[in-house]
Each structure stands twice: as structure tokens, then as C-alpha cells.
Amino acid sequence: METSFGDMKVSMGDCDLHATDVDLVDRVTGGDREAFAFLLSKYRDYVAGIVARHIPTEDVAETVHNVFVRAYLSLGKFRASGEFRHWLASIAVRTCYDYWRERYRRREIPMASLTEGHREWIETILSEQSTEGYSESPYQEEGLELLNWALGMLSPEDRMVLELVYLQENSIREAAALLGWSTANVKIRSFRARRKLQSLLSREINRGGKK
Amino acid sequence: MKISRRDLEKMKIIFSLLSRARKPPNLDHAWQEKVMNHVRVLETPAMEKGFEEQFRRIAWHLIPSACLVILLLALALTTVDFFPEYEMARQFIEEPTGYLVTKILGV
């Protein structure tokens, strides 16, 4: 018997079509590695969505791969009392954090300064009353470059907290659970990271004004 | 020029929209097969036991030692004739001064 998840067909064997995540986890930890394919098919787009918000597009597929391998190796720690989706989301966020830590360690973060186009983008945004339409083309590219530049100037910790709390609007508690940090740590980091972003952008505008 | 809180809030809204607009790449069958091939060469993840179960497993190993300790204590109690209340009463009657000095000095 075969069933299909998205574009993939998976052999069902004696697997129940309505098997829950907990059943599948039990099967994998019981020695049936193929049952992991069901979890993979079910959650790959969900995990890819989380990873894509933190990682450059060219590295998303590899990072999602790492997330699932990490999840597979940690399946023994999964508790049936919790929700598998949340547990997986937490692994995805921590894998993204490790990705940035590794890149910072290898000093692979581009530190090029902003162009005149980016400064104009900031000035236009600040002078406009409404924010409507600025998330769309043709402003999108400059905006994304500016965002990536600003995030690249922060530490991996500040970067993750800023993305989770400030950009994705997770609560402090949610961000703390995803990162496995204390709520106090996330709160302090969030405040400091926002201040850093503010001073970074101010400095760049002033630099542009002096030229 | 310093960016005010209001300006930062305005930029935050746009950054937030841009951040959410990032589309993940399409992960196809080949990608999934690659992950499964990786998983197949890994060891089966063992279910981690809870504290209670771990304790139960350890407790069995402690039973012989516990029995031995109980046996030795029982033996000691039967051989050593030691009754604290009786000893104290005897000391008080036979040697009251010595008893009081011992009690006061805490020896």
C-alpha cells in the first residue's frame, strides 16, 4: 500500500493512515526508520518556512536537512505530553542559531557598508506618513538588503532575538521556549538589540549626510 | 540625525513584512530521499527513560547492599547492650555530680 504526501509516495506497510505523530515517533524509536519519512513529508514545508525567515535562501535546503537529522537523533527525548510541531519548531530555530554562530565564528558575514540607494530608502521611509506599499517591489530589494546588513552587524544571539521578537512578533515567552533561554535573558537581549539597530541605522544615515 | 522610536517603529513594520515575505525553496522528492538516506545510516534513536523508570532500574542493584546493611545493624543491636535512657538514669542515681557536670559541659 502506498500513500502520498505532497509530491512523494511513501510505502505504508502496516502503518495506520491516521497514525498520530506520537505513534510515528514510537515506531521510529522502536527501530522502524522508514516511519520517519511520514514525519518528514508532513513537516518539511513547515520547517522550511521557519528556516527561510532566518537563513539566506541558498542555505535553506541544507539547514532543513540538518534540522530533520537533528530531530531524528533527538527523537528519544521527545515527550508525548508536548506537541511534536512545537518541539520541531524549537529544533529548527536552534539549528538556525547554530548556523549563524558558525558563520560568525568563521567570519563569513559580509560587512560591506550601505550604498546611497539604501540611505535614500531609509530617508524615503522616514519622510512618508504611511508604510503601505513599501514591502512590495521596487522597494523590496533595498529593504531586504538593508535588513540583512543590519542583522549582519549584530551578534548571533541579538540577531535571533530581534528576528523572533521584533520581526516575527513572537512573545518573549515563545521566543524563550524556542531558543531554550530564560525569559529574562530574551527580554534584556531584545531591548539591547533594538537599541543597537536604532543606533546602527542612525549612524548610517549620518554617514550618508556628511558625504 | 538620530532615528526616533517612531521612525524605528515604522521601519520595523516594513522589515517585519519583508521578513515574512521570504519564500522557502521547494523541497522535492530528491531532497527528501537525501534526508532519508542520511537517516538510514544513523543509529536508531533510543527512547530516553524517565526518572522513575531509571530509579527503578538502579534500585534493584541496591537491594543486596541494603539487605546487608540491615543485617549488620540488626546484629549490632542484638550484641551491643545499649539503652540510652537506662544508662542515663543509672548514672544520675549512682553519680549525680558527675552526671550534672557532663550534662552542663555537654561532654
Side-chain angles (χ1 to χ4, degrees), chain A residues 36 64-75 87-88 90-99 101, chain B residues 39 42:
Chain A
F36 190 70
V64 178
H65 180 136
N66 292 340
V67 170
F68 278 103
V69 169
R70 207 164 156 176
Y72 174 80
L73 292 171
S74 312
L75 275 181
W87 182 77
L88 199 58
S90 153
I91 292 180
V93 168
R94 287 174 208 188
T95 309
C96 293
Y97 170 53
D98 289 343
Y99 168 92
R101 277 207 318 182
Chain B
V39 162
L42 297 171

Side-chain angles (χ1 to χ4, degrees), chain A residues 8 33 41 128 167 206, chain B residues 1 10 16 32 40 42:
Chain A
M8 190 198 178
R33 287 193 185 96
S41 305
E128 289 290 323
L167 300 178
N206 289 338
Chain B
M1 182 190 162
K10 202 191 274 183
S16 185
Q32 183 148 335
R40 284 182 194 113
L42 297 171

Side-chain angles (χ1 to χ4, degrees), chain A residues 155-169:
Chain A
S155 69
E157 290 80 12
D158 288 345
R159 181 188 189 116
M160 290 307 292
V161 167
L162 200 77
E163 284 185 327
L164 288 169
V165 179
Y166 194 58
L167 300 178
Q168 293 164 26
E169 291 170 350

Side-chain angles (χ1 to χ4, degrees), chain B residues 9-28:
Chain B
E9 200 53 40
K10 202 191 274 183
M11 292 185 78
K12 182 228 150 178
I13 296 166
I14 296 156
F15 281 154
S16 185
L17 288 168
L18 290 171
S19 170
R20 280 159 202 240
R22 287 173 179 164
K23 291 274 178 285
N26 184 31
L27 302 173
D28 56 7

